[in-house]
Amino acid sequence: MSKINYSREIPIRRSADIFIAGGGPAGTAAAVTAARLGNKVFLAESAGCLGGMGTAGGIPAFMQFTDGENFLAGGIGREIHDKNQELGKIGNNIKAEVLKEIYEDMMTESGVEFTYFTQLIDVITDGTYAKTAVLASKSGIFGVNAKIFIDGTGDGDLAVMAGADYKKGDENGSMMPGTLCSVWTGIDWSKVRYELQERELEKAFEDNIFTDKDRHLPGMFKIGEQTGGGNIGHAFGVDGSDEASLTEAFIRQRKKLKEYEIYYKNYLEGFENMSLVSTGALMGIRETRRITGDYILNLEDFKSRAVFDDEIGRYSYPVDIHASNPNEENYRIFADEFKNLRYGNGESYGVPYRILTPKGLDNILVAGRCVSCDRYIQGSIRVMPGCYITGQAAGAAADTAVEKNTHIRGFDIKILQKKLKDLGGYLPNFE
């Protein structure tokens, strides 16, 4: 591969207390939290809306906010949950246009400055400190200076550009498959039994309907009177941190959705007249980089329902590691883990602040899917309510560092915990 030296002067268009890369659920929660606490916040989002997979990506459901007894994603998560219940009127399922408006209202009303179609392309550092985020937009390349930086990209892009270490996939580098979510109309929900959507798969395999014998079918979720959100079809082998891999996966998965249309129409009741409306503008990526932080939350912590002195929340979603290739043995392992690595009512694991603090960096925090954890915990905390918990904590921690004029480890953790408690966070072990 040949290389060139490339340099140019760019304008510093903005200075902020806190810069956030990525306006998905974690980045948006961090931004709103920090702005409401009185900070000047600028957020850069590469797509044309906030919300990431819940909006541009078409994920049709949030996953669980509670442990069956306690509301775990308190504060920002509770606010989003309640507004979605009120405006969407479909429980924990998602109407993308409703959720987009909820996010935009929260951001604008809290005073967050943000722009769409703005891509992080580099981070200028001085030792262990980030100084400037370099961004590319329709109007050119520019810089943003800030005191604290928050990585809400999902893939750990900002932290890695600043020099953070990370893990990726399993011991062989294999990662969970992605999903190209979709929207369908013409569904008769009165005839649909959600729990039976996998019942005819083996027959369809025998009939050679599918390219892959993928036994894991999360399914179709009701998002309107005759409309469904499809979390169907796995993109095996996709690397969400590689543009060539993503491009190939989009092309392949759009074609594979035709196979699922045949399946739903011909093998299941209620879907006979369904038709495809749209596919997601983003691929549903479940796993890429996990940033190495001051602590790596792990499976033993999940099993022990761990409690931490620096707890910034608790969560309870099961370990949900989708099989990296479509064979019966890998599916059996997934099914066993998903069945056995789960909690009863009222049970949860602690989320320590140290998983938000990348090793070797002093003014960068991570939130969302890329926090410091092993694959098992990543398979749990990656869903949207988990992102609200870590995003809110990152926003409050950034505010605390700015307020105390210090780095991300330079304050008493109890100050942050009290702040989160006051914001509505679930911290039952904080005194």
Side-chain angles (χ1 to χ4, degrees):
M1 180 187 296
S2 61
K3 295 182 180 181
I4 62 169
N5 288 320
Y6 177 78
S7 65
R8 63 181 295 177
E9 289 187 349
I10 62 172
I12 302 298
R13 288 193 190 161
R14 296 175 183 269
S15 292
D17 295 318
I18 299 162
F19 169 77
I20 301 172
T28 300
V32 172
T33 298
R36 286 177 176 174
L37 290 170
N39 296 277
K40 184 178 181 181
V41 180
F42 178 70
L43 181 146
E45 167 54 46
S46 60
C49 64
L50 299 164
M53 283 312 304
T55 53
I59 289 269
F62 284 102
M63 302 298 105
Q64 66 198 56
F65 283 86
T66 80
D67 62 11
E69 296 179 2
N70 306 289
F71 199 97
L72 304 180
I76 292 290
R78 165 73 83 172
E79 186 175 339
I80 293 166
H81 170 274
D82 290 354
K83 286 182 178 178
N84 182 71
Q85 295 270 12
E86 175 190 353
L87 301 174
K89 296 180 171 56
I90 51 172
N92 268 5
N93 292 352
I94 296 171
K95 292 180 180 177
E97 295 306 315
V98 170
L99 189 55
K100 288 176 188 177
E101 187 172 358
I102 290 171
Y103 285 138
E104 288 179 339
D105 286 349
M106 292 174 71
M107 291 278 277
T108 55
E109 289 167 7
S110 64
V112 177
E113 296 180 23
F114 63 99
T115 57
Y116 295 140
F117 312 110
T118 307
Q119 178 75 48
L120 176 76
I121 60 172
D122 203 0
V123 179
I124 298 172
T125 60
D126 181 5
T128 59
Y129 282 82
K131 295 295 185 182
T132 305
V134 182
L135 307 171
S137 67
K138 296 295 290 183
S139 59
I141 299 173
F142 66 96
V144 175
N145 290 338
K147 299 172 184 175
I148 303 293
F149 295 74
I150 298 176
D151 190 328
T153 64
D155 299 310
D157 293 338
L158 187 152
V160 170
M161 288 175 185
D165 289 331
Y166 63 90
K167 300 290 186 183
K168 189 174 174 183
D170 64 14
E171 63 275 8
N172 300 312
S174 296
M175 289 174 282
M176 282 188 273
T179 294
L180 181 62
C181 291
S182 47
V183 176
W184 304 78
T185 192
I187 299 169
D188 184 350
W189 287 105
S190 67
K191 296 180 180 179
V192 172
R193 293 180 63 185
Y194 173 78
E195 69 277 11
L196 298 181
Q197 289 188 52
E198 294 185 20
R199 68 180 175 179
E200 300 292 340
L201 276 174
E202 290 298 333
K203 187 174 188 309
F205 293 156
E206 292 174 6
D207 294 340
N208 294 314
I209 297 301
F210 291 106
T211 304
D212 296 316
K213 292 184 178 180
D214 182 4
R215 290 170 171 79
H216 185 184
L217 183 64
M220 194 81 67
F221 296 72
K222 183 177 181 180
I223 59 173
E225 288 306 312
Q226 294 184 334
T227 309
N231 187 0
I232 54 178
H234 284 99
F236 295 102
V238 65
D239 182 346
S241 61
D242 178 85
E243 67 280 1
S245 179
L246 280 168
T247 300
E248 189 276 332
F250 267 99
I251 294 169
R252 173 163 40 94
Q253 292 309 113
R254 288 194 182 107
K255 293 183 185 301
K256 285 178 70 174
L257 280 175
K258 295 175 183 177
E259 300 173 357
Y260 283 92
E261 182 174 9
I262 293 170
Y263 173 66
Y264 273 87
K265 280 184 172 181
N266 294 283
Y267 291 79
L268 298 171
E269 293 182 5
F271 299 101
E272 294 87 349
N273 297 310
M274 68 185 283
S275 62
L276 181 63
V277 175
S278 64
T279 55
L282 300 175
M283 179 69 67
I285 297 298
R286 295 179 173 90
E287 175 185 21
T288 55
R289 305 182 188 103
R290 307 186 305 275
I291 300 301
T292 303
D294 293 320
Y295 184 76
I296 299 174
L297 197 61
N298 58 72
L299 178 60
E300 291 308 311
D301 295 323
F302 183 94
K303 290 179 176 178
S304 68
R305 285 71 171 164
V307 174
F308 298 96
D309 290 340
D310 62 337
E311 213 161 272
I312 48 86
R314 297 188 67 81
Y315 198 46
S316 64
Y317 186 64
V319 169
D320 183 11
I321 302 177
H322 292 219
S324 58
N325 62 68
N327 61 47
E328 289 190 59
E329 174 62 15
N330 278 327
Y331 179 71
R332 183 193 62 75
I333 292 170
F334 153 75
D336 287 347
E337 288 179 345
F338 194 61
K339 176 182 177 181
N340 296 318
L341 294 176
R342 60 173 53 237
Y343 290 152
N345 282 353
E347 296 182 319
S348 59
Y349 59 86
V351 182
Y353 175 59
R354 289 165 290 162
I355 72 169
L356 311 186
T357 55
K359 271 189 174 180
L361 298 173
D362 285 326
N363 68 334
I364 293 178
L365 295 158
V366 293
R369 195 180 69 213
C370 61
V371 295
S372 179
C373 57
D374 69 7
R375 272 193 100 216
Y376 291 97
I377 291 292
Q378 199 271 347
S380 166
I381 205 168
R382 63 183 170 81
V383 297
M384 279 182 270
C387 292
Y388 296 140
I389 293 168
T390 57
Q392 178 173 262
D399 165 72
T400 306
V402 170
E403 178 185 33
K404 301 297 183 183
N405 193 29
T406 187
H407 53 82
I408 57 173
R409 302 172 186 85
F411 52 81
D412 186 340
I413 192 65
K414 291 190 180 300
I415 296 172
L416 172 58
Q417 289 171 322
K418 183 179 186 308
K419 196 170 289 186
L420 289 170
K421 190 88 169 180
D422 291 344
L423 290 168
Y426 180 68
L427 282 85
N429 301 306
F430 170 67
E431 295 179 1

